[in-house]
Amino acid sequence: MSSVARVQVGIIGAGPAGLLLGRLLGLAGISFVLLERQTRAHVESRIRAGVLEPGSVTLLDAAGVSARLHRESLVHEGFEIAYGEQRLRINLRALTGHAVTVYGQTEITRDLSAQHEAAGSQILYGCEAVTPLDLTGRAARLRYRWQGQADEFVCDYLVGCDGYHGVARASLPAAGVRNIERAYPVSWLGVLADAPPVTPELLYASHPRGFALCSMRSRTRSRYYLEVAATQTLEEWPDERFWDELRARLPASVAAALVTGPAIEKSLTPLRGFVAEPLRHGRLFLAGDAAHIVPPTGAKGLNLAFADVGELAAALIAWFKTGATEGLDAYSPNRLARVWQAQRFAWWLTALTHRLTAAVFDERAQAAEFAYLAGCTHAQQSLAENYLGLSSVGATPPRSTRS
Ligand code: FAS
Ligand code: PHB
């Protein structure tokens, strides 16, 4: 890479955010180099999100990577929330005119990687010691080691798409970024199994024993989650215990229909809410999990990452093509307004469906919340609009007046 002294944009992280950003920039003729710490196979083996908002599908269409998605994905016009034996369907289509798309993040990452390979994109997998430099200078620098060789390049802008544990945010001066965090006392124990989904749509189950989620990747591959204490380990959850506990938390008719299969993947994800403020520091921007983490309850993480990238790509393209700075200047306040809307929603849906405390007061308040939701279509419409991603249904939150 010593031949490349300068590119327009340096991207750190080849997860969905970095890959989509590179794709959108490349299509606009903007030069970029993408540095990834892991191997391509490792990145493409990760099992994570599964539900796409309409806005995310539109972005993947614009990136020219959605052909397989439209062939293989499932379109869901609603989902269910169960409270004990009570079941409430949230009719997304009737309430908003929109639906969600079920298609695994793993597949999206593979589709993006394939397009980058076909385009001959400069993506360096297996990079070490990636170090952002000169973030407030006339040009930024990115130093790294690849295949045993130390190297660096200069770029107009750097984008940290390197996730919660990445180097981009960590490279900011303490005074340059505020990390606002809420730790939830629970984790999600996830299982992927080659077994037909137990329900035709997603079912979020709120139960005195704890939360359970019935999701899917296709009509033959299921994805299930259980709320467990944050102290639990995978070793404590052999497959049989997982299936027994899942049955115990589902409405009886659903539990009776459950078809199990060997777990082809099992993972523990601590629930956390995190936001970095601001999302820009000189020539460095943060996008995706590098900028924020939301509890997966609201299926927001991946969708927020894509929305960040869509807005930042448009702003960067405008700057390179016309010199306009409005988009770059507005990126952080715009995205933070949206991210906090998503944090609020994920926190609300988590509090409605999880057993975060043993307090009887919280249990009574939860039951009252569910009863209100079940009896009020306005409350259901609010839930539907947030689940779809507010930009998808026109409800735009007030722009933040503070940077
Ligand atoms: P990612 O973390 O996906 O990608 C960051 C990339 O940067 C990685 O490839 C990493 O290897 C690389 N990187 C890190 N440090 C680097 C360095 N120093 N140098 C170079 N590269 C570096 N969201 C949902 O909506 N629903 C879910 O069910 C859900 N489940 C999840 C389960 C787990 C275990 C996790 C961790 C997250 C889950 N999420 C879920 C959220 C997840 O989908 C993220 O929102 C999504 O991966 C965000 O994508 P990125 O921002 O690209 O970050
Ligand atoms: C998933 O299928 O992985 C999934 C679906 C909905 C969520 C979280 C995860 O809210």
Side-chain angles (χ1 to χ4, degrees):
M1 184 55 73
S2 56
S3 60
V4 177
R6 183 184 187 105
V7 291
Q8 291 170 297
V9 181
I11 304 171
I12 308 173
L19 288 171
L20 179 60
L21 177 61
R23 178 69 181 161
L24 294 172
L25 293 177
L27 287 172
I30 308 296
S31 64
F32 69 92
V33 174
L34 204 168
L35 304 184
E36 166 58 47
R37 177 168 62 182
Q38 302 289 354
T39 65
R40 176 173 172 182
H42 179 96
V43 172
E44 293 182 5
S45 67
R46 289 188 188 120
I47 307 292
R48 287 191 178 166
V51 172
L52 295 177
E53 300 170 359
S56 295
V57 176
T58 301
L59 269 176
L60 294 170
D61 288 338
V65 298
S66 60
R68 186 162 74 100
L69 178 153
H70 289 297
R71 285 199 309 272
E72 299 179 8
S73 65
L74 303 173
V75 175
H76 283 191
E77 306 212 337
F79 65 90
E80 283 192 270
I81 300 179
Y83 197 80
E85 287 298 319
Q86 301 174 74
R87 296 173 66 173
L88 169 65
R89 182 171 186 264
I90 303 299
N91 188 335
L92 297 169
R93 181 70 77 191
L95 291 163
T96 69
H98 294 273
V100 291
T101 299
V102 174
Y103 189 68
Q105 174 176 321
T106 310
E107 307 316 316
I108 298 171
T109 306
R110 289 172 182 164
D111 295 340
L112 280 162
S113 299
Q115 289 297 334
H116 275 296
E117 184 173 23
S121 298
Q122 293 272 17
I123 302 179
L124 306 185
Y125 289 95
C127 282
E128 299 170 317
V130 174
T131 311
L133 297 165
D134 302 343
L135 300 181
T136 54
R138 289 175 52 81
R141 250 181 326 134
L142 202 48
R143 184 176 292 163
Y144 62 95
R145 195 168 48 253
W146 186 59
Q147 294 183 343
Q149 291 291 322
D151 209 332
E152 64 181 54
F153 59 83
V154 172
C155 50
D156 295 290
Y157 289 104
L158 266 180
V159 185
C161 296
D162 49 349
Y164 180 71
H165 301 288
V167 69
R169 190 180 71 248
S171 68
L172 295 179
V177 65
R178 183 178 181 186
N179 295 320
I180 303 166
E181 188 148 12
R182 167 192 283 254
Y184 291 78
V186 295
S187 295
W188 272 22
L189 173 62
V191 159
L192 189 69
D194 279 332
V198 68
T199 47
E201 296 174 328
L202 270 62
L203 186 146
Y204 293 75
S206 181
H207 189 279
R209 296 176 67 96
F211 169 76
L213 171 59
C214 302
S215 184
M216 61 196 78
R217 291 293 177 271
S218 69
R219 290 192 175 82
T220 59
R221 178 164 286 190
S222 303
R223 178 74 168 159
Y224 294 105
Y225 295 96
L226 291 178
E227 168 195 352
V228 297
T231 53
Q232 294 272 290
T233 65
L234 285 177
E235 292 66 35
E236 296 172 275
W237 286 92
D239 289 11
E240 188 175 350
R241 182 187 177 196
F242 180 90
W243 298 120
D244 289 346
E245 186 60 30
L246 179 63
R247 284 191 192 89
R249 297 184 185 184
L250 296 176
S253 58
V254 178
L258 182 67
V259 176
T260 65
I264 52 180
E265 188 266 359
K266 196 180 287 181
S267 62
L268 270 171
T269 304
L271 260 59
R272 70 162 56 95
F274 163 77
V275 182
E277 292 183 352
L279 301 184
R280 175 184 189 178
H281 181 82
R283 294 188 173 278
L284 174 71
F285 291 90
L286 299 174
D289 278 17
H292 41 69
I293 296 283
V294 284
T297 322
K300 290 288 150 241
L302 180 61
N303 292 292
L304 279 176
F306 283 163
D308 291 348
V309 163
E311 178 154 348
L312 185 55
L316 287 167
I317 293 164
W319 187 83
F320 283 112
K321 301 291 188 191
T322 70
T325 59
E326 292 80 5
L328 295 176
D329 296 341
Y331 171 74
S332 183
N334 283 359
R335 291 310 306 153
L336 285 174
R338 184 74 75 203
V339 166
W340 280 111
Q341 294 281 344
Q343 283 288 2
R344 181 215 64 85
F345 171 66
W347 162 78
W348 173 81
L349 191 56
T350 301
L352 175 64
T353 54
H354 290 60
R355 291 302 176 279
L356 300 179
T357 76
V360 175
F361 185 95
D362 294 347
E363 192 179 306
R364 297 287 192 276
Q366 201 178 60
E369 180 81 49
F370 183 80
Y372 175 71
L373 182 66
C376 176
T377 51
H378 299 300
Q380 292 170 35
Q381 181 165 5
S382 172
L383 167 48
E385 287 184 355
N386 279 276
Y387 194 80
L388 281 159
L390 299 170
S391 57
S392 303
V393 291
T396 303
R399 287 195 188 290
S400 165
T401 54
R402 297 167 55 198
S403 61

